[in-house]
Amino acid sequence: NQLRDLLEQAPEEQELCKMLSSFRDDEAHHKQMSLDEGAEKAPQYDALVTAIRGATKLAIYVAERV
């Protein structure tokens, strides 16, 4: 778990970890709400999910090298 690792390496970042945890939980809630409302049935859902995953992986790749 990345938040646990951060706390172990930098215990002074407890407030940051709380904030990140809150953001993560909020996003998980939004995702579940959209799925409950039938997001998977939306036109081009699969293409959009694939594009977002690809963009995320690319952003992580670039961030690791900067």
Side-chain angles (χ1 to χ4, degrees):
N1 175 315
Q2 290 175 327
L3 291 176
R4 190 175 323 124
D5 292 347
L6 176 59
L7 274 177
E8 288 174 4
Q9 295 172 14
E12 69 277 6
E13 297 295 351
Q14 188 170 5
E15 284 301 313
L16 175 62
C17 286
K18 285 180 185 179
M19 187 183 320
L20 292 172
S21 178
S22 176
F23 288 156
R24 180 199 57 210
D25 295 345
D26 195 38
E27 289 303 313
H29 176 70
H30 290 150
K31 179 180 179 183
Q32 188 57 53
M33 284 177 45
S34 69
L35 293 173
D36 291 346
E37 294 293 322
E40 293 171 311
K41 297 175 188 166
Q44 302 300 319
Y45 174 82
D46 291 331
L48 184 58
V49 168
T50 300
I52 291 170
R53 283 187 182 143
T56 301
K57 287 180 181 182
L58 176 61
I60 291 169
Y61 176 84
V62 170
E64 289 175 339
R65 281 147 184 80
V66 173

